[in-house]
Amino acid sequence: MIRRRKALKNIGLLTGGMLSIPYSCNIIPEISYTNLPLIDSEQQELIAVICNLLLPNKSDAFPTPESREHFVLSMVNDCLDDKERIKFLDGFKTFQIEIIKNKERSFKDMFLEDQVDFIAKYINEKKSEIGVFLNHLKHYSILHFETSENYMKSYLKFEFMPGRYLGSVLVKS
């Protein structure tokens, strides 16, 4: 009798634990970048919005294995040296401060025209902190687009197999 109670109790605890797992686990993992530890998920979303304003995302026509913000942040994380990465982060902080100072609301809540005007105001200033930040985003957004398989095959006539084999061609010696 005691063993039966203990078994039912363990089965109940096990069932309750299994049912609570989906509610306590985060299904979408948050991506963290080792060299950019201060950028949280909201800031990653802001960078995604800015990247899509700089170059609209056409994932149906030009599919890529990763999202644009993941590609851009991975490139910033891995390819920029420490000085450039610090300039990038300083530009990002200054960008957020300028948004709050000028518009008194978040960038995502602004109208599309205001977002485009705000970016256009700073994108040509390559020496300013915000200009450095936006130009890095622009450069890596274009690189993300240019590395899509459809763009490489259709526009660059790139072949993924190196060295095409033509068996009927006479080899000269």
Side-chain angles (χ1 to χ4, degrees):
M1 183 101 151
I2 294 178
R3 288 184 181 172
R4 214 180 295 158
R5 284 185 185 167
K6 198 172 195 178
L8 287 173
K9 180 181 172 184
N10 288 339
I11 290 172
L13 288 173
L14 187 69
T15 305
M18 293 299 285
L19 291 175
S20 67
I21 284 176
Y23 297 107
S24 61
C25 291
N26 190 2
I27 295 176
I28 301 172
E30 185 174 327
I31 299 172
S32 62
Y33 301 95
T34 55
N35 294 325
L36 305 170
L38 302 176
I39 295 182
D40 60 358
S41 60
E42 287 182 23
Q43 291 173 330
Q44 289 177 13
E45 290 176 15
L46 175 61
I47 288 175
V49 169
I50 296 168
C51 289
N52 288 330
L53 279 173
L54 291 170
L55 182 67
N57 193 3
K58 299 202 177 191
S59 58
D60 297 337
F62 299 97
T64 54
E66 71 277 324
S67 65
R68 178 157 305 152
E69 85 252 8
H70 177 61
F71 180 84
V72 168
L73 288 172
S74 294
M75 294 300 281
V76 168
N77 185 49
D78 298 337
C79 297
L80 295 181
D81 62 357
D82 291 335
K83 290 179 184 176
E84 290 177 331
R85 200 175 307 113
I86 289 170
K87 287 181 183 178
F88 177 84
L89 291 173
D90 290 342
F92 186 46
K93 287 176 192 172
T94 310
F95 181 84
Q96 292 174 324
I97 291 168
E98 284 294 317
I99 290 170
I100 294 170
K101 188 166 54 172
N102 290 342
K103 302 296 180 183
E104 298 178 1
R105 57 182 161 166
S106 70
F107 189 76
K108 290 185 250 178
D109 295 337
M110 292 167 53
F111 294 114
L112 181 62
E113 298 163 352
D114 294 337
Q115 290 175 342
V116 171
D117 291 341
F118 190 81
I119 288 177
K121 182 172 137 183
Y122 292 104
I123 193 97
N124 294 327
E125 299 176 9
K126 297 186 190 286
K127 302 231 183 223
S128 70
E129 290 180 339
I130 297 176
V132 169
F133 164 70
L134 290 175
N135 282 305
H136 278 301
L137 291 184
K138 178 182 172 185
H139 172 71
Y140 290 130
S141 295
I142 291 171
L143 187 63
H144 178 252
F145 171 73
E146 289 176 343
T147 55
S148 66
E149 183 177 349
N150 191 13
Y151 178 81
M152 293 176 82
K153 282 183 176 178
S154 301
Y155 296 98
L156 298 180
K157 306 296 184 211
F158 182 80
E159 295 181 19
F160 285 97
M161 181 76 128
R164 176 181 285 194
Y165 174 71
L166 302 173
S168 61
V169 175
L170 183 62
V171 179
K172 296 180 183 179
S173 54

